[in-house]
Amino acid sequence: MGRGGRPCRGGPPCVVLPYAVADGARNMALDESMLEYAREGRTLLRFYGWDPWCVSLGRNQPAPARLLGKSPDDIRPGVDAVRRPTGGRSVFHGPEITYAFACPDRAWGGPKAVLRTLHRALADRLRALGVPVDDLPRGDAPTPGTAGPIALSTAACFLEPAPGELTVGGRKLVGSAQRRRCGGVLQHGSILLEDRQTLADLEGPGAATNPGGAPSHRPAIGLRETLSPAPDAGTIVRCLEAGLAREFGAAVALGSGEAASAALDRMAAAYESAHRSAARLWGREHGAAASARRRRLAGTGRRA
């Protein structure tokens, strides 16, 4: 940490966690655990997938009474839909590679610098694979996934790119969100393999269309549309994690984060049940429910 509590340019070397596939509740519980781990002075990076495919809502995004066009009885919280610890709008997690990065909030230049470094490193590594990523703007871009009028819509994240996000030909390829909490920073995002983001419309399929049935927004783009043939997901993950880890001082061999991964698995248990809660999914987790969750976390020595 810099003098006077200012962000420092460096930080603890990045530990790369093994790639894994899980359902929505487990993935979000692990990301929240990374945020908790980060406030203890760790820098962590992981890539992961989703099984089954799932829609995630932003932390403050309203959920309609008929989420995804279904009644609450037909939605499995934490499986069909889950609420992220970060803000922003809904995302359909299907054919994609998801990244999550966490570090102390005063490390690596602070949250805005972390955002710029992650986006630049992702763009560089994607270009190395042959993806014609658009040039990133100079200077600070608004932090994605923060509260604001756009974050409180029921529309999908990939409807339009935010300033500083990764695009190809103006079409959104990577959607990210960031949260700062209790001395840590978490940033996670979706790197699309295919564009299935019409399935992220919370009102149900076809909600984001004009009266004539045409899409009301420019479609997103996936790696399989930009690369022919596209590398397999494992090759893409190895390329991305090597580049990002180097940016954040990885001094360990890739894939050596098994010990940290085991600790995160244990920590995630305190969060996973909350992410499977219907009250949390529909934005009704307050009062007694929120207090009960804080007590469970207090029993592990963690803070909500």
Side-chain angles (χ1 to χ4, degrees):
M1 182 183 295
R3 293 180 180 178
R6 292 174 295 180
C8 59
R9 298 179 67 179
C14 183
V15 174
V16 181
L17 305 173
Y19 178 86
V21 176
D23 69 11
R26 185 65 177 171
N27 278 332
M28 293 302 94
L30 286 167
D31 283 4
E32 287 212 67
S33 299
M34 287 176 63
L35 181 56
E36 290 293 324
Y37 223 50
R39 71 184 182 89
E40 298 176 1
R42 311 294 182 91
T43 298
L44 302 167
L45 171 69
R46 81 181 185 107
F47 289 87
Y48 57 93
W50 302 70
D51 185 20
W53 292 352
C54 178
V55 168
S56 72
L57 286 69
R59 181 166 59 100
N60 298 314
Q61 186 178 23
R66 290 186 60 83
L67 180 61
L68 306 176
K70 300 178 180 180
S71 72
D73 291 340
D74 294 327
I75 293 288
R76 296 173 295 173
V79 180
D80 300 318
V82 70
R83 192 170 289 279
R84 297 189 305 273
T86 55
R89 302 188 297 190
S90 55
V91 176
F92 177 72
H93 302 285
E96 70 171 60
I97 294 167
T98 313
Y99 78 89
F101 176 88
C103 68
D105 64 356
R106 299 293 183 178
W108 304 110
K112 288 185 177 181
V114 166
L115 170 69
R116 290 193 303 269
T117 302
L118 283 170
H119 282 183
R120 185 185 68 247
L122 283 170
D124 288 348
R125 299 312 296 167
L126 289 169
R127 291 186 186 112
L129 289 168
V131 182
V133 178
D134 296 332
D135 290 338
L136 293 172
R138 295 182 179 273
D140 289 341
T143 302
T146 54
I150 197 169
L152 298 180
S153 164
T154 59
C157 167
F158 279 83
L159 279 173
E160 56 188 2
E165 291 192 305
L166 274 61
T167 58
V168 173
R171 296 165 62 188
K172 191 167 178 175
L173 173 66
V174 181
S176 301
Q178 190 184 90
R179 186 174 183 193
R180 182 179 189 175
R181 185 181 75 186
C182 298
V185 171
L186 168 69
Q187 182 170 321
H188 53 190
S190 296
I191 305 161
L192 299 185
L193 297 175
E194 299 175 14
D195 176 23
R196 306 281 185 92
Q197 293 306 308
T198 57
L199 298 174
D201 295 326
L202 297 186
E203 300 287 355
T209 58
N210 290 316
S216 60
H217 62 282
R218 192 173 187 185
I221 193 168
L223 293 179
R224 290 172 182 159
E225 187 176 342
T226 67
L227 298 173
S228 183
D232 63 84
T235 299
I236 297 170
V237 167
R238 287 190 293 273
C239 178
L240 296 177
E241 69 182 7
L244 268 63
R246 279 197 299 271
E247 287 286 344
F248 292 97
V252 295
L254 295 179
S256 65
E258 286 83 1
S261 183
L264 285 175
D265 282 342
R266 294 190 295 271
M267 195 182 298
Y271 288 106
E272 191 170 347
S273 60
H275 282 291
R276 298 192 189 280
S277 160
R280 179 161 183 164
L281 177 61
W282 265 269
R284 299 190 297 267
E285 189 192 35
H286 55 79
S291 297
R293 185 165 70 92
R294 283 195 293 269
R295 286 195 297 272
R296 287 197 301 272
L297 293 171
T300 68
R302 308 291 170 188
R303 286 184 284 176

